[in-house]
């Protein structure tokens, strides 16, 4: 059986083109997961948001600089939000017959991401990185937690509507 896909979700790029603290946390977490799962591919997700370059390209550059083989990286530079990332990763998993994913994102973001994968019928494991007041500060932590309250049911319902598009065509 093949190994699960490690999915690192993108986060903001700063105006100077550098990785934000959230993106750095996720890259480091993804690297640790890649070390723990040496046969897994690493799905770097995130297009160009408000500032370039793409989140996925920053991930790839940093991960290879840390020693991860470039052949293990899959870049998804088209996804601009959580649901787009989940759909892209689910398509990749299905196309290659992988058993599921390991979700690498901030801990406050993991429940929504895993809910979306579940709604699409993709097994997921928690590979979250700590993202609490100590890492983010109280203000940012509260903003992100409060953002998740409406986002969880919203993305969950949207993911369910996309499930049929991911099913293989029956002939």
């Amino acid at each position: 059986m093949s190994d699960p896909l490690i999915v690192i979700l993108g986060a903001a790029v700063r105006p100077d083109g550098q990785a934000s603290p959230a993106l750095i946390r996720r890259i480091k977490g993804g690297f640790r997961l890649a070390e723990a799962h040496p046969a897994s591919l690493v799905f770097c997700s995130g297009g160009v948001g408000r500032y370039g370059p793409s989140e996925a390209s920053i991930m790839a550059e940093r991960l290879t600089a840390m020693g991860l083989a470039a052949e293990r990286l899959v870049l998804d530079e088209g996804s601009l939000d959580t649901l787009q990332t989940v759909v892209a990763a689910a398509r990749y998993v299905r196309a290659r017959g992988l058993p599921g994913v390991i979700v690498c994102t901030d801990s406050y973001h993991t429940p929504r991401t895993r809910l979306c994968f579940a709604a699409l019928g993709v097994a997921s494991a928690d590979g979250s990185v700590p993202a609490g007041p100590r890492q983010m500060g109280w203000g940012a932590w509260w903003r992100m937690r409060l953002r998740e309250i409406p986002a969880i049911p919203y993305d969950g319902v949207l993911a369910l509507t996309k499930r049929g598009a991911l099913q293989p065509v029956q002939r």
Side-chain angles (χ1 to χ4, degrees), residues 34-109:
E35 286 185 309
H37 302 273
S40 290
L41 294 174
V42 179
F43 193 85
C44 300
S45 187
V48 177
R50 192 170 188 186
Y51 306 104
S54 74
E55 298 158 14
S57 68
I58 290 174
M59 284 182 209
E61 182 181 310
R62 287 190 174 233
L63 288 167
T64 55
M66 296 166 81
L68 192 63
E71 303 81 50
R72 291 185 61 192
L73 302 178
V74 177
L75 271 63
D76 165 33
E77 295 183 281
S79 295
L80 298 174
D81 63 27
T82 301
L83 188 55
Q84 289 176 7
T85 294
V86 170
V87 169
R91 284 190 175 123
Y92 190 87
V93 164
R94 289 249 168 79
R96 282 146 188 87
L98 300 175
V101 301
I102 302 172
V103 174
C104 181
T105 189
D106 288 331
S107 54
Y108 65 81
H109 187 226

Side-chain angles (χ1 to χ4, degrees), residues 8-14 18-30 32 55 58-59 62 104-109 129-131 135-136 140 144 147:
I8 308 174
L9 282 89
V13 174
R14 295 185 337 200
Q18 297 299 308
S20 64
L23 188 53
I24 292 168
R25 278 194 304 274
R26 295 173 189 191
I27 293 166
K28 288 178 179 177
R32 285 189 296 272
E55 298 158 14
I58 290 174
M59 284 182 209
R62 287 190 174 233
C104 181
T105 189
D106 288 331
S107 54
Y108 65 81
H109 187 226
V129 296
Q135 291 82 16
M136 307 171 64
M144 293 298 104
R147 183 184 75 175

